[in-house]
Amino acid sequence: MDSHKILQTAVVFLLATVIAVPLTKRFRLGAVLGYLLAGIVIGPQLLGLISDTEGVATVSEFGVVLMLFVIGLELSPQRLWVMRRSVFGTGLAQVLATTIAIAAASYYLFGLSGKAAVIVGGSLALSSTAFGLQILAERKEAGSAYGRQVFSILLFQDLAAIPLIAAVPLLASSTAQDFNLIAVLRTVGMIIAVVVGGRYLLRPIFRFVARADSAEVFTATALLVVTGVALLMELTGASATLGAFLAGMVLADSEYRHELESNIEPFKGLLLGLFFISVGMSMDVSLLLHQPLLILELVVALLLLKGLLLWPLGRLLAGLNRSDTLRLLVLLACGGEFAFVVLRQAAEQQLIAVSQRDALVLAITLSMALTPLLVVLAARGLHLRPKKPTREFDAIDAAPPRVIIAGFGRVGQIIARLLRAQGIPFVALEHSAEQVDLSRRFGSIDLFFGDPARPELLRAAHADKAEVFVLATDDPEANLRTARLVRRQYPHLKIIARARNRQHVFRLMDMGVEEPVRETFHSSLKMTRKTLEALGLSPELAADRVERFRRYDEALLKRQALVYDDETKLIQSNRDALIDLQQLFEADAERSAERERERDPTTAQAGDGD
């Protein structure tokens, strides 16, 4: 392809994207639908602006590889173990039940072979991660009870997609007679090599590259790791996506996780968009005209069957109420983007006919297009409305600050006053218009009305040039959304986060915020010290007891962060902690401990500060 053809193709893709995606997002239909519509319009069936659909599909599948790598980065083995009940409980039940039901219908009602029925059932059991997480974020419900269950189920579906993708060529080529044990052992050996080699080789490599202090080299190294591991897995006959996922998981608990994620994200977004465009280009839209009843039946059957299976899972396994179960149902009843990959491979391996693939792809796309509408209808039926700002956000015209303060309530104001007294430049962002107007009456400060969780607002506030990001908002869910965004887009920022309680602390620590500050902890310790003094303890002994409790509780908090999703272990940890603390104070009461405190008065002084 000559340079003129390459530039022409690039212009067509970018023009279609910048027109279609903003339109669909404006109507709350999501970016994925915009990419699909762009592909349909520029594809051979309508305008015919792009003819090389196979070439585009080959390049675009790298977007799926990068998506699996980013998913792997989100899933450290430790985190996966903590979430095992919701992920491997509700998630596993949903995938198994839906796969079996759809596979049985495909086999008995539509006459597919056993292997084809399994692949079709597995692919249709998957829901759209892109749609689900985007809608949860837009409606600010990711931290709700049903939002956490949606995330867990989507997480397991992403995990299940990997062996499903890998199984397509195996099912197409192998039978009981020609089962290739050597190929299986070679694949298992390569998986072990990736996991072990990644743990002992990748971290030293990234540590060496990080010393160069070059973002471009670091990004190139990340892309090299993804493509290299994917290529190795493909050479052994396994799935490239499996290799990318394993590479991500190996690096999930490394210190470079967030920087890797922020560097890969732009490439993943663009290539994933290209993948959806290529799917739209290959869609047989004429089926809507020639076989409208068949397509309509497939869409309705998919939504109803998955919905009927999700209802008891939400009510019984997840323990959700009726309204939350309904909201979970409408988000997960549609098909998903991984089904496009699986069905395309199944058609290439001749497990299913091309006409069957086209009908299923079209039905999945329509089910995804209906999802935002169903979410809106469900919300109206439950009398729910997404929160909207009462006025336009302020334009930020301040100089680049050293500190950004998110939230200008009681906590944010004290921090701002001290920073101002020290002459340290800062920008404060507050989501409450009333709070902004009230604060501006008492002086001229760099305070602006806006949502700190909006990427464009952080860019306007020069977050890329700041050093510290202070999360002082009093809304835990808004706090978590902002922390997630800042950690992903500005990994260089040191985050000082306010936390309401221990559960809030645990979730912030999951995002890499090292030491969240509990909003009532230190004031409670000071009140306790004064209470002990009022009861007759000496100021030194009272301060010592409080300081010992503080150190013990902070150590306990870090231990509990590893098991906070396991209620049984968390309860047992609290019981053990109470016994340990009692024994610690009993040891403090011994004369040897009293003499030691008298010789070392620094412990008493440590409890004086907040």
Side-chain angles (χ1 to χ4, degrees):
M1 187 182 292
D2 56 27
S3 59
H4 174 74
K5 191 71 173 178
I6 293 174
L7 287 175
Q8 182 180 347
T9 303
V11 168
V12 170
F13 277 125
L14 293 174
L15 185 61
T17 299
V18 299
I19 293 175
V21 174
L23 282 175
T24 55
K25 293 192 74 173
R26 182 178 180 84
F27 293 102
R28 296 184 176 273
L29 298 176
V32 175
L33 184 60
Y35 287 122
L36 292 171
L37 290 175
I40 293 171
V41 171
I42 66 177
Q45 296 194 51
L46 287 184
L47 299 182
L49 299 177
I50 304 294
S51 56
D52 185 16
T53 57
E54 293 300 321
V56 172
T58 303
V59 175
S60 67
E61 284 179 1
F62 189 56
V64 180
V65 171
L66 291 179
M67 182 168 72
L68 265 294
F69 178 71
V70 172
I71 289 172
L73 282 176
E74 296 283 354
L75 281 179
S76 66
Q78 188 180 70
R79 174 62 176 155
L80 197 58
W81 176 252
V82 168
M83 297 177 63
R84 65 190 183 278
R85 286 191 174 183
S86 54
V87 174
F88 297 103
T90 314
L92 175 61
Q94 184 273 329
V95 171
L96 281 180
T98 310
T99 299
I100 292 171
I102 296 178
S106 302
Y107 183 78
Y108 290 108
L109 299 180
F110 294 94
L112 295 182
S113 65
K115 294 178 182 179
V118 169
I119 292 299
V120 169
S123 63
L124 295 182
L126 307 179
S127 307
S128 175
T129 302
F131 264 61
L133 297 184
Q134 177 184 324
I135 291 172
L136 284 176
E138 287 176 353
R139 302 189 66 84
K140 301 181 180 180
E141 294 172 346
S144 63
Y146 97 94
R148 291 193 295 270
Q149 285 298 325
V150 167
F151 177 75
S152 298
I153 293 173
L154 289 173
L155 195 55
F156 185 83
Q157 290 180 359
D158 292 338
L159 293 174
I162 298 163
L164 184 62
I165 293 170
V168 173
L170 293 176
L171 288 174
S173 62
S174 65
T175 62
Q177 287 75 27
D178 62 4
F179 180 73
N180 193 340
L181 180 61
I182 296 177
V184 173
L185 292 176
R186 185 168 63 241
T187 301
V188 172
M190 182 54 69
I191 291 173
I192 295 172
V194 168
V195 173
V196 175
R199 182 165 291 275
Y200 294 103
L201 291 178
L202 289 183
R203 290 188 183 182
I205 290 173
F206 279 111
R207 198 172 294 119
F208 172 77
V209 172
R211 291 196 189 102
D213 196 22
S214 172
E216 294 82 5
V217 176
F218 195 90
T219 302
T221 307
L223 291 172
L224 175 63
V225 168
V226 179
T227 54
V229 174
L231 178 61
L232 283 175
M233 295 298 290
E234 208 166 53
L235 290 175
T236 59
S239 168
T241 53
L242 175 60
F245 178 77
L246 289 174
M249 279 199 72
V250 167
L251 293 167
D253 55 358
S254 75
E255 62 271 34
Y256 305 108
R257 165 191 159 191
H258 297 291
E259 190 169 358
L260 282 167
E261 196 172 6
S262 62
N263 288 338
I264 290 291
E265 191 70 30
F267 296 95
K268 184 206 80 172
L270 284 172
L271 288 171
L272 206 55
L274 185 62
F275 170 76
F276 289 128
I277 289 176
S278 71
V279 171
M281 290 168 59
S282 62
M283 280 173 54
D284 188 1
V285 186
S286 62
L287 284 173
L288 273 177
L289 300 175
H290 299 130
Q291 296 177 297
L293 288 179
L294 173 64
I295 302 302
L296 181 61
E297 288 171 0
L298 287 175
V299 173
V300 173
L302 177 63
L303 294 175
L304 284 180
L305 182 57
K306 291 182 74 172
L308 289 173
L309 293 172
L310 282 164
W311 183 265
L313 293 177
R315 293 287 287 158
L316 301 177
L317 283 185
L320 300 175
N321 57 37
R322 291 182 179 180
S323 62
D324 280 351
T325 303
L326 178 62
R327 288 186 285 176
L328 176 139
L329 185 152
V330 296
L331 267 184
L332 297 178
C334 66
E337 49 271 6
F338 276 118
F340 299 144
V341 182
V342 177
L343 293 173
R344 176 179 290 179
Q345 285 190 345
E348 290 172 352
Q349 299 288 339
Q350 298 181 348
L351 277 172
I352 61 175
V354 174
S355 60
Q356 292 171 332
R357 179 205 66 185
D358 292 342
L360 290 172
V361 167
L362 188 56
I364 292 168
T365 305
L366 292 175
S367 72
M368 292 169 67
L370 287 172
T371 298
L373 300 176
L374 293 175
V375 169
V376 172
L377 291 175
R380 287 181 178 176
L382 297 169
H383 304 291
L384 300 171
R385 296 288 185 273
K387 297 179 182 178
K388 295 182 179 180
T390 56
R391 73 184 192 193
E392 291 296 322
F393 292 152
D394 291 340
I396 300 177
D397 54 2
R402 295 185 63 188
V403 180
I404 295 176
I405 303 174
F408 207 70
R410 296 167 300 158
V411 176
Q413 289 173 18
I414 293 173
I415 296 170
R417 286 166 60 190
L418 284 168
L419 290 177
R420 190 176 185 181
Q422 296 294 317
I424 298 173
F426 67 89
V427 165
L429 306 174
E430 171 58 50
H431 194 247
S432 169
E434 293 80 7
Q435 184 65 49
V436 171
D437 294 337
L438 179 64
S439 300
R440 283 175 175 170
R441 295 176 189 171
F442 296 95
S444 175
I445 54 175
D446 286 331
L447 170 63
F448 302 95
F449 170 61
D451 184 357
R454 297 285 291 271
E456 64 271 21
L457 204 68
L458 294 182
R459 284 196 297 270
H462 303 288
D464 57 326
K465 297 181 178 66
E467 301 171 34
V468 180
F469 192 92
V470 179
L471 258 175
T473 52
D474 59 358
D475 181 351
E477 295 306 327
N479 185 298
L480 291 167
R481 283 195 305 274
T482 307
R484 188 179 297 109
L485 174 68
V486 172
R487 179 58 67 193
R488 175 169 293 185
Q489 295 197 356
Y490 305 99
H492 72 282
L493 281 176
K494 171 72 174 177
I495 298 179
I496 310 297
R498 169 187 181 181
R500 175 164 295 180
N501 51 37
R502 296 177 89 86
Q503 287 293 325
H504 192 184
V505 170
F506 296 149
R507 295 174 67 186
L508 284 167
M509 292 173 72
D510 268 349
M511 296 178 190
V513 179
E514 295 177 359
E515 295 181 355
V517 180
R518 286 173 279 174
E519 58 187 27
T520 59
F521 182 63
H522 294 284
S523 55
S524 300
L525 292 180
K526 189 165 186 177
M527 290 180 69
T528 304
R529 191 189 72 186
K530 291 184 177 294
T531 301
L532 293 175
E533 292 176 10
L535 291 172
L537 271 71
S538 67
E540 293 79 11
L541 182 57
D544 177 73
R545 290 291 173 89
V546 169
E547 175 62 18
R548 284 172 181 265
F549 175 82
R550 183 192 66 79
R551 291 199 300 265
Y552 184 83
D553 190 70
E554 289 182 349
L556 173 65
L557 190 73
K558 293 180 179 179
R559 294 197 304 271
Q560 289 182 334
L562 303 177
V563 296
Y564 78 90
D565 274 349
D566 190 328
E567 187 176 353
T568 304
K569 286 190 176 181
L570 194 60
I571 293 173
Q572 186 60 44
S573 173
N574 282 324
R575 290 173 178 169
D576 294 342
L578 187 60
I579 296 172
D580 291 345
L581 190 61
Q582 187 175 359
Q583 293 173 349
L584 178 67
F585 282 153
E586 287 174 357
D588 285 348
E590 296 177 1
R591 291 184 178 180
S592 59
E594 294 285 353
R595 288 195 298 269
E596 183 179 343
R597 281 194 297 273
E598 290 173 2
R599 289 196 302 269
D600 184 15
T602 57
T603 56
Q605 297 171 0
D608 289 338
D610 282 338

PDB file of all heavy atoms in Angstrom, residues 560-577:
ATOM      1  N   GLN A 560      -5.457  -6.265  57.224  1.00  0.00           N
ATOM      2  CA  GLN A 560      -6.852  -6.491  56.847  1.00  0.00           C
ATOM      3  C   GLN A 560      -7.137  -6.087  55.406  1.00  0.00           C
ATOM      4  O   GLN A 560      -8.085  -6.596  54.804  1.00  0.00           O
ATOM      5  CB  GLN A 560      -7.777  -5.718  57.795  1.00  0.00           C
ATOM      6  CG  GLN A 560      -7.827  -6.291  59.196  1.00  0.00           C
ATOM      7  CD  GLN A 560      -8.782  -5.535  60.089  1.00  0.00           C
ATOM      8  OE1 GLN A 560      -9.058  -4.354  59.872  1.00  0.00           O
ATOM      9  NE2 GLN A 560      -9.314  -6.191  61.110  1.00  0.00           N
ATOM     10  N   ALA A 561      -6.333  -5.202  54.850  1.00  0.00           N
ATOM     11  CA  ALA A 561      -6.537  -4.790  53.452  1.00  0.00           C
ATOM     12  C   ALA A 561      -6.398  -5.969  52.492  1.00  0.00           C
ATOM     13  O   ALA A 561      -6.951  -5.948  51.393  1.00  0.00           O
ATOM     14  CB  ALA A 561      -5.540  -3.692  53.084  1.00  0.00           C
ATOM     15  N   LEU A 562      -5.672  -7.014  52.910  1.00  0.00           N
ATOM     16  CA  LEU A 562      -5.480  -8.182  52.051  1.00  0.00           C
ATOM     17  C   LEU A 562      -6.689  -9.106  52.037  1.00  0.00           C
ATOM     18  O   LEU A 562      -6.829  -9.933  51.134  1.00  0.00           O
ATOM     19  CB  LEU A 562      -4.246  -8.968  52.507  1.00  0.00           C
ATOM     20  CG  LEU A 562      -2.923  -8.183  52.553  1.00  0.00           C
ATOM     21  CD1 LEU A 562      -1.811  -9.065  53.087  1.00  0.00           C
ATOM     22  CD2 LEU A 562      -2.579  -7.665  51.166  1.00  0.00           C
ATOM     23  N   VAL A 563      -7.573  -8.988  53.045  1.00  0.00           N
ATOM     24  CA  VAL A 563      -8.696  -9.928  53.145  1.00  0.00           C
ATOM     25  C   VAL A 563     -10.030  -9.208  53.329  1.00  0.00           C
ATOM     26  O   VAL A 563     -11.005  -9.808  53.764  1.00  0.00           O
ATOM     27  CB  VAL A 563      -8.489 -10.913  54.331  1.00  0.00           C
ATOM     28  CG1 VAL A 563      -7.285 -11.791  54.103  1.00  0.00           C
ATOM     29  CG2 VAL A 563      -8.334 -10.153  55.659  1.00  0.00           C
ATOM     30  N   TYR A 564     -10.094  -7.904  52.979  1.00  0.00           N
ATOM     31  CA  TYR A 564     -11.284  -7.141  53.348  1.00  0.00           C
ATOM     32  C   TYR A 564     -12.535  -7.593  52.615  1.00  0.00           C
ATOM     33  O   TYR A 564     -13.647  -7.331  53.061  1.00  0.00           O
ATOM     34  CB  TYR A 564     -11.052  -5.641  53.143  1.00  0.00           C
ATOM     35  CG  TYR A 564     -11.130  -5.149  51.717  1.00  0.00           C
ATOM     36  CD1 TYR A 564     -12.329  -4.722  51.172  1.00  0.00           C
ATOM     37  CD2 TYR A 564      -9.999  -5.082  50.918  1.00  0.00           C
ATOM     38  CE1 TYR A 564     -12.409  -4.250  49.871  1.00  0.00           C
ATOM     39  CE2 TYR A 564     -10.060  -4.615  49.623  1.00  0.00           C
ATOM     40  CZ  TYR A 564     -11.270  -4.199  49.107  1.00  0.00           C
ATOM     41  OH  TYR A 564     -11.336  -3.740  47.818  1.00  0.00           O
ATOM     42  N   ASP A 565     -12.407  -8.285  51.464  1.00  0.00           N
ATOM     43  CA  ASP A 565     -13.586  -8.792  50.756  1.00  0.00           C
ATOM     44  C   ASP A 565     -14.047 -10.142  51.297  1.00  0.00           C
ATOM     45  O   ASP A 565     -15.082 -10.654  50.893  1.00  0.00           O
ATOM     46  CB  ASP A 565     -13.293  -8.931  49.253  1.00  0.00           C
ATOM     47  CG  ASP A 565     -13.538  -7.615  48.527  1.00  0.00           C
ATOM     48  OD1 ASP A 565     -14.122  -6.715  49.156  1.00  0.00           O
ATOM     49  OD2 ASP A 565     -13.149  -7.498  47.361  1.00  0.00           O
ATOM     50  N   ASP A 566     -13.245 -10.731  52.196  1.00  0.00           N
ATOM     51  CA  ASP A 566     -13.602 -12.010  52.817  1.00  0.00           C
ATOM     52  C   ASP A 566     -14.130 -11.717  54.219  1.00  0.00           C
ATOM     53  O   ASP A 566     -13.377 -11.490  55.155  1.00  0.00           O
ATOM     54  CB  ASP A 566     -12.374 -12.924  52.879  1.00  0.00           C
ATOM     55  CG  ASP A 566     -12.735 -14.352  53.278  1.00  0.00           C
ATOM     56  OD1 ASP A 566     -13.697 -14.516  54.056  1.00  0.00           O
ATOM     57  OD2 ASP A 566     -12.056 -15.287  52.813  1.00  0.00           O
ATOM     58  N   GLU A 567     -15.456 -11.710  54.363  1.00  0.00           N
ATOM     59  CA  GLU A 567     -16.080 -11.286  55.624  1.00  0.00           C
ATOM     60  C   GLU A 567     -15.664 -12.171  56.791  1.00  0.00           C
ATOM     61  O   GLU A 567     -15.414 -11.692  57.892  1.00  0.00           O
ATOM     62  CB  GLU A 567     -17.605 -11.299  55.464  1.00  0.00           C
ATOM     63  CG  GLU A 567     -18.336 -10.720  56.655  1.00  0.00           C
ATOM     64  CD  GLU A 567     -19.836 -10.652  56.423  1.00  0.00           C
ATOM     65  OE1 GLU A 567     -20.269 -10.929  55.285  1.00  0.00           O
ATOM     66  OE2 GLU A 567     -20.555 -10.335  57.378  1.00  0.00           O
ATOM     67  N   THR A 568     -15.560 -13.486  56.545  1.00  0.00           N
ATOM     68  CA  THR A 568     -15.196 -14.416  57.619  1.00  0.00           C
ATOM     69  C   THR A 568     -13.811 -14.098  58.164  1.00  0.00           C
ATOM     70  O   THR A 568     -13.591 -14.014  59.378  1.00  0.00           O
ATOM     71  CB  THR A 568     -15.246 -15.858  57.113  1.00  0.00           C
ATOM     72  OG1 THR A 568     -16.546 -16.119  56.588  1.00  0.00           O
ATOM     73  CG2 THR A 568     -14.952 -16.838  58.237  1.00  0.00           C
ATOM     74  N   LYS A 569     -12.852 -13.918  57.255  1.00  0.00           N
ATOM     75  CA  LYS A 569     -11.485 -13.624  57.687  1.00  0.00           C
ATOM     76  C   LYS A 569     -11.392 -12.258  58.335  1.00  0.00           C
ATOM     77  O   LYS A 569     -10.601 -12.057  59.273  1.00  0.00           O
ATOM     78  CB  LYS A 569     -10.533 -13.717  56.495  1.00  0.00           C
ATOM     79  CG  LYS A 569     -10.248 -15.131  56.040  1.00  0.00           C
ATOM     80  CD  LYS A 569      -9.120 -15.169  55.025  1.00  0.00           C
ATOM     81  CE  LYS A 569      -8.783 -16.605  54.645  1.00  0.00           C
ATOM     82  NZ  LYS A 569      -7.667 -16.668  53.677  1.00  0.00           N
ATOM     83  N   LEU A 570     -12.185 -11.313  57.861  1.00  0.00           N
ATOM     84  CA  LEU A 570     -12.151  -9.970  58.430  1.00  0.00           C
ATOM     85  C   LEU A 570     -12.666  -9.986  59.871  1.00  0.00           C
ATOM     86  O   LEU A 570     -12.093  -9.354  60.753  1.00  0.00           O
ATOM     87  CB  LEU A 570     -12.975  -9.021  57.571  1.00  0.00           C
ATOM     88  CG  LEU A 570     -12.782  -7.527  57.819  1.00  0.00           C
ATOM     89  CD1 LEU A 570     -11.338  -7.128  57.563  1.00  0.00           C
ATOM     90  CD2 LEU A 570     -13.704  -6.715  56.931  1.00  0.00           C
ATOM     91  N   ILE A 571     -13.749 -10.721  60.105  1.00  0.00           N
ATOM     92  CA  ILE A 571     -14.288 -10.842  61.470  1.00  0.00           C
ATOM     93  C   ILE A 571     -13.280 -11.521  62.394  1.00  0.00           C
ATOM     94  O   ILE A 571     -13.040 -11.089  63.523  1.00  0.00           O
ATOM     95  CB  ILE A 571     -15.621 -11.619  61.446  1.00  0.00           C
ATOM     96  CG1 ILE A 571     -16.705 -10.800  60.714  1.00  0.00           C
ATOM     97  CG2 ILE A 571     -16.081 -11.961  62.862  1.00  0.00           C
ATOM     98  CD1 ILE A 571     -18.001 -11.550  60.490  1.00  0.00           C
ATOM     99  N   GLN A 572     -12.660 -12.605  61.898  1.00  0.00           N
ATOM    100  CA  GLN A 572     -11.672 -13.311  62.706  1.00  0.00           C
ATOM    101  C   GLN A 572     -10.468 -12.423  62.979  1.00  0.00           C
ATOM    102  O   GLN A 572      -9.902 -12.442  64.079  1.00  0.00           O
ATOM    103  CB  GLN A 572     -11.223 -14.591  61.977  1.00  0.00           C
ATOM    104  CG  GLN A 572     -10.301 -15.482  62.810  1.00  0.00           C
ATOM    105  CD  GLN A 572     -10.969 -15.949  64.096  1.00  0.00           C
ATOM    106  OE1 GLN A 572     -12.123 -16.355  64.094  1.00  0.00           O
ATOM    107  NE2 GLN A 572     -10.239 -15.865  65.204  1.00  0.00           N
ATOM    108  N   SER A 573     -10.085 -11.609  61.987  1.00  0.00           N
ATOM    109  CA  SER A 573      -8.963 -10.689  62.175  1.00  0.00           C
ATOM    110  C   SER A 573      -9.268  -9.678  63.268  1.00  0.00           C
ATOM    111  O   SER A 573      -8.399  -9.365  64.091  1.00  0.00           O
ATOM    112  CB  SER A 573      -8.671  -9.978  60.848  1.00  0.00           C
ATOM    113  OG  SER A 573      -7.713  -8.975  61.021  1.00  0.00           O
ATOM    114  N   ASN A 574     -10.501  -9.177  63.315  1.00  0.00           N
ATOM    115  CA  ASN A 574     -10.883  -8.223  64.366  1.00  0.00           C
ATOM    116  C   ASN A 574     -10.850  -8.874  65.743  1.00  0.00           C
ATOM    117  O   ASN A 574     -10.413  -8.274  66.727  1.00  0.00           O
ATOM    118  CB  ASN A 574     -12.278  -7.662  64.086  1.00  0.00           C
ATOM    119  CG  ASN A 574     -12.266  -6.580  63.016  1.00  0.00           C
ATOM    120  OD1 ASN A 574     -11.332  -5.802  62.937  1.00  0.00           O
ATOM    121  ND2 ASN A 574     -13.287  -6.547  62.176  1.00  0.00           N
ATOM    122  N   ARG A 575     -11.309 -10.133  65.810  1.00  0.00           N
ATOM    123  CA  ARG A 575     -11.282 -10.849  67.105  1.00  0.00           C
ATOM    124  C   ARG A 575      -9.849 -11.077  67.571  1.00  0.00           C
ATOM    125  O   ARG A 575      -9.511 -10.852  68.746  1.00  0.00           O
ATOM    126  CB  ARG A 575     -12.013 -12.185  66.969  1.00  0.00           C
ATOM    127  CG  ARG A 575     -13.526 -12.043  66.800  1.00  0.00           C
ATOM    128  CD  ARG A 575     -14.168 -13.383  66.508  1.00  0.00           C
ATOM    129  NE  ARG A 575     -15.614 -13.264  66.383  1.00  0.00           N
ATOM    130  CZ  ARG A 575     -16.401 -14.233  65.923  1.00  0.00           C
ATOM    131  NH1 ARG A 575     -15.876 -15.395  65.553  1.00  0.00           N
ATOM    132  NH2 ARG A 575     -17.709 -14.045  65.834  1.00  0.00           N
ATOM    133  N   ASP A 576      -8.992 -11.516  66.655  1.00  0.00           N
ATOM    134  CA  ASP A 576      -7.586 -11.748  67.014  1.00  0.00           C
ATOM    135  C   ASP A 576      -6.920 -10.449  67.432  1.00  0.00           C
ATOM    136  O   ASP A 576      -6.112 -10.416  68.363  1.00  0.00           O
ATOM    137  CB  ASP A 576      -6.840 -12.359  65.826  1.00  0.00           C
ATOM    138  CG  ASP A 576      -7.342 -13.764  65.484  1.00  0.00           C
ATOM    139  OD1 ASP A 576      -8.003 -14.375  66.354  1.00  0.00           O
ATOM    140  OD2 ASP A 576      -7.069 -14.224  64.365  1.00  0.00           O
ATOM    141  N   ALA A 577      -7.267  -9.362  66.734  1.00  0.00           N
ATOM    142  CA  ALA A 577      -6.659  -8.067  67.039  1.00  0.00           C
ATOM    143  C   ALA A 577      -7.036  -7.602  68.437  1.00  0.00           C
ATOM    144  O   ALA A 577      -6.205  -7.041  69.164  1.00  0.00           O
ATOM    145  CB  ALA A 577      -7.097  -7.035  66.010  1.00  0.00           C
TER     146      ALA A 577
END
